Amino acid sequence: MLVLGIETSCDETAAAVLADGRLRSNVVASQADLHARYGGVVPELASRRHLERLWPVVDEALAEAAVTLQEIQGVAVTCGPGLAGALTVGVAASKTMASAAGLPLIGVNHLEGHIYANFLEHPDVPLPALALIVSGAHTDLLVMLDHGRYAVLGRTRDDAAGEAFDKVARVLGLGYPGGPAIETLARSGRSDAVKLPLPFATGASFDFSFSGLKTAVVRAAAAESETGDGRRIKDQTEQPAAHAGGTCPSQFAADLAAAFQANLVEVLAAKTARAARGRSVASVLLAGGVAANSALRARIAEVAAAGNLPLFVPPTALCTDNAAMIACAGTHRLAQGWRSSSRLGAYADLDLEDDVPETACNPQA
């Protein structure tokens, strides 16, 4: 089965071709340079850039896979959650392609796509699996009961982990995206040098909240900026481009980055460990853009090992938004007989436990 995947949920314009589970092409056009000057994604600008880039990206993916649209057997597209305008561009283009070529269309939940990034290299992941999805807009802990069946245990109440990384990076003047910059700076810091909270690390809830941790970082940076070595932080906050030009951050900034990263990772690991102990699962999955963070990978590996569970983590290139994961999720849906109707739309707040709206019932169910 040849499936074309389309992903435009945020600031990556992506297309990929999957052939019976083998990746034939995976093209991603990043918008990081466009949004860096603003310190985060500007929805209207993201939508416009998708309009400019989507068709060339699709053409490149088809050419790299050495196939034509007429040879494709299905089109899978992210229909939510995400930025409404950005999603609309991908959904509209996919509906046009599917209709023109007489192909089945399948709407894919973006979070499900992140989960299926693991199946690209490990198609036989043991189920049920405990999955931790950590990205810019989402932090979800759930059980994948079977293909297409999920039970969400907890999700973010405010700032997602990736969003917290970006906001802290902005405070420290590290630019956008913040995750890689924080990870690099944290390597030269001491995680125990600055006292920060461990939000919702204990208790019965599996929900996440990182706004308090982010606020604690902001206050620590502000306090240090008024006295001593932290003056460098204030300068970087006022002129974010300074760090890119070679300004060396203070030791306090490195310590603050290390403490923030360590505490965020520990909260994620603690809840994952508790969920693994309390449920009968056969494996652990890590997914989402923040899954590229080496500290998080190492800590979740310890959690999985403690429970004698195999851990699956996508390659770094497949952690961030891409269309290969959407094509993989779509392939499984199509194989099970799922189809989306011509009324498929963009659903900014789509829940993983709910079926994609305007999707026909599975005839094999």
Side-chain angles (χ1 to χ4, degrees), residues 95-153:
K95 288 166 68 173
T96 299
M97 282 185 283
S99 177
L103 299 173
L105 173 72
I106 187 70
V108 173
N109 187 300
H110 180 73
L111 300 183
E112 183 174 45
H114 274 305
I115 291 173
Y116 273 92
N118 283 286
F119 288 80
L120 286 164
E121 290 198 351
H122 305 283
D124 298 319
V125 170
L127 299 178
L130 180 65
L132 176 64
I133 307 173
V134 197
S135 67
H138 303 277
T139 304
D140 291 65
L141 185 62
L142 57 98
V143 177
M144 182 179 185
L145 302 168
D146 201 348
H147 292 285
R149 294 179 55 228
Y150 307 95
V152 176
L153 305 178

Side-chain angles (χ1 to χ4, degrees), residues 243-265:
H243 183 71
T247 300
C248 180
S250 66
Q251 183 59 50
F252 180 81
D255 292 342
L256 192 55
F260 162 75
Q261 177 177 267
N263 282 27
L264 184 144
V265 166

Side-chain angles (χ1 to χ4, degrees), residues 311-322:
L311 171 66
F312 299 92
V313 186
T316 303
L318 295 177
C319 287
T320 53
D321 292 352
N322 63 86

